[in-house]
């Protein structure tokens, strides 16, 4: 799909916001309490999982808003 400048900025902001929300949500689980000796890579794993889930959710919502905008323009 081709993006113009406004759509690109909106998509980027939505994806970054969703990554931050996902990161905070995963941190609220306090995963280190589930381990007797937490692995050294646990913080990196939390960051990578946050990026993966946040990117997917952000892409979904950005695409949803773009499609909704297209539908509203078609109705006029």
């Amino acid at each position: 799909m081709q993006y113009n400048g406004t759509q690109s900025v909106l998509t980027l902001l939505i994806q970054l916001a969703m990554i931050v929300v996902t990161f905070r949500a995963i941190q609220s689980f306090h995963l280190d309490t589930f381990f007797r000796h937490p692995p050294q890579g646990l913080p990196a794993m939390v960051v990578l999982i946050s990026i993966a889930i946040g990117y997917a959710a952000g892409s979904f919502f950005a695409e949803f808003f773009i499609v909704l905008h297209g539908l509203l323009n078609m109705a006029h």
Side-chain angles (χ1 to χ4, degrees), residues 31-43:
L31 294 176
D32 54 342
T33 60
F34 292 112
F35 299 98
R36 186 175 306 201
H37 300 290
Q40 290 180 345
L42 187 63

Side-chain angles (χ1 to χ4, degrees), residues 1-26:
M1 167 174 255
Q2 291 286 351
Y3 290 108
N4 63 24
T6 306
Q7 289 175 338
S8 297
V9 170
L10 181 64
T11 300
L12 181 64
L13 290 175
I14 289 173
Q15 287 176 347
L16 288 175
M18 293 304 292
I19 289 170
V20 169
V21 167
T22 305
F23 180 73
R24 289 184 183 219
I26 291 175

Side-chain angles (χ1 to χ4, degrees), residues 12-75:
L12 181 64
L13 290 175
I14 289 173
Q15 287 176 347
L16 288 175
M18 293 304 292
I19 289 170
V20 169
V21 167
T22 305
F23 180 73
R24 289 184 183 219
I26 291 175
Q27 275 189 326
S28 71
F29 284 117
H30 300 288
L31 294 176
D32 54 342
T33 60
F34 292 112
F35 299 98
R36 186 175 306 201
H37 300 290
Q40 290 180 345
L42 187 63
M45 183 187 74
V46 168
V47 169
L48 292 175
I49 289 173
S50 298
I51 291 171
I53 295 172
Y55 175 79
S59 295
F60 169 78
F61 282 112
E63 187 68 25
F64 176 78
F65 289 128
I66 291 168
V67 169
L68 183 63
H69 179 71
L71 286 175
L72 291 175
N73 282 341
M74 187 176 72

